[in-house]
Amino acid sequence: NAGVTQTPKFQVLKTGQSMTLQCAQDMNHEYMSWYRQDPGMGLRLIHYSVGAGITDQGEVPNGYNVSRSTTEDFPLRLLSAAPSQTSVYFCASSRQGPKETQYFGPGTRLLVL
Amino acid sequence: AQKITQTQPGMFVQEKEAVTLDCTYDTSDPSYGLFWYKQPSSGEMIFLIYQGSYDQQNATEGRYSLNFQKARKSANLVISASQLGDSAMYFCAMREPSYGQNFVFGPGTRLSVLP
């Protein structure tokens, strides 16, 4: 049982490049989400999904796309990287319901030059 | 308006002493969950403790307890007998139905345990 996995762990991009951050979970959780973490700002929700084929925007969705073709996978796509997207990105999953905690992946540190 | 407020950017505590990390929240949902996470310098997010809005008793998990005051909308984390390994960032978070079951996080408190 691997929990939530993310790849890569670290990435350097040039402005304008695109890339996909991978996220997978093996706990059969319906809910998955992507956050970015910036100093002094906690975690901010980018996109989330409540099941395969269903995605929605969070607090800071601009510049990012997601899809959810399977329960297990929830990739995050940066369409045209900008220095403002330099951050640490976390993927998380949980069961549905206000009592259910989220389980986090190890994070991806992204640097956009 | 911020839904989760953590007013202590940084805290110091002596080893073996207890420390309280503050968290206040804002919601109009009657049913919600409150969570605390620990983030050590290695970066991973570790779930510590949960409190439900309808729970009559304060949650406890080992050395962690939650001082839940519903009327004041506060959910303070108490760490007893601090250890050097408790030095980390601590985040308070809330999950509520009106926010699509999403989590909202506070800005965090950095705790430093002194030997």
Side-chain angles (χ1 to χ4, degrees):
Chain A
N1 191 338
V4 181
T5 58
Q6 289 183 240
T7 57
K9 291 186 177 179
F10 182 73
Q11 183 72 46
V12 180
L13 291 179
K14 294 181 179 178
T15 296
Q17 287 185 319
S18 63
M19 79 161 294
T20 299
L21 308 184
Q22 301 291 345
C23 174
Q25 53 94 8
D26 61 0
M27 296 174 281
N28 203 31
H29 287 164
E30 309 95 336
Y31 178 92
M32 295 187 74
S33 55
W34 276 101
Y35 296 89
R36 59 177 290 171
Q37 183 179 24
D38 301 296
M41 300 190 73
L43 278 75
R44 291 184 293 168
L45 183 66
I46 304 172
H47 285 284
Y48 67 98
S49 169
V50 297
I54 306 169
T55 63
D56 207 344
Q57 297 180 351
E59 180 185 356
V60 288
N62 291 342
Y64 307 95
N65 271 357
V66 292
S67 59
R68 183 107 179 260
S69 56
T70 66
T71 300
E72 294 79 18
D73 300 299
F74 191 43
L76 178 72
R77 297 182 186 83
L78 280 70
L79 308 173
S80 177
S84 61
Q85 293 179 305
T86 293
S87 189
V88 179
Y89 291 85
F90 286 98
C91 178
S93 75
S94 77
R95 293 190 180 91
Q96 287 279 58
K99 298 183 177 183
E100 303 293 340
T101 189
Q102 283 192 121
Y103 297 90
F104 285 84
T108 294
R109 188 173 295 273
L110 177 66
L111 175 63
V112 182
L113 302 175
Chain B
Q2 274 197 330
K3 282 183 168 286
I4 299 286
T5 303
Q6 294 180 255
T7 58
Q8 307 151 313
M11 290 277 288
F12 290 92
V13 64
Q14 209 69 37
E15 194 178 6
K16 299 181 184 177
E17 292 186 349
V19 62
T20 298
L21 307 183
D22 294 342
C23 173
T24 58
Y25 59 92
D26 182 28
T27 181
S28 55
D29 279 332
S31 177
Y32 53 89
L34 296 160
F35 304 80
W36 278 90
Y37 291 86
K38 173 184 178 181
Q39 187 178 42
S41 58
S42 52
E44 71 267 34
M45 294 288 288
I46 302 167
F47 165 68
L48 295 178
I49 195 167
Y50 158 82
Q51 180 82 46
S53 58
Y54 290 122
D55 293 345
Q56 295 296 314
Q57 293 189 330
N58 288 340
T60 60
E61 288 286 348
R63 293 186 299 111
Y64 304 109
S65 61
L66 208 152
N67 184 359
F68 180 47
Q69 298 185 44
K70 192 172 182 177
R72 297 180 60 185
K73 293 188 176 178
S74 75
N76 298 338
L77 177 70
V78 181
I79 305 175
S80 63
S82 297
Q83 301 172 355
L84 296 178
D86 294 333
S87 293
M89 282 291 290
Y90 289 82
F91 293 98
C92 179
M94 178 172 64
R95 192 174 200 183
E96 55 178 346
S98 65
Y99 191 48
Q101 298 289 355
N102 294 315
F103 285 73
V104 60
F105 285 81
T109 295
R110 181 171 298 280
L111 177 67
S112 299
V113 181
L114 305 175

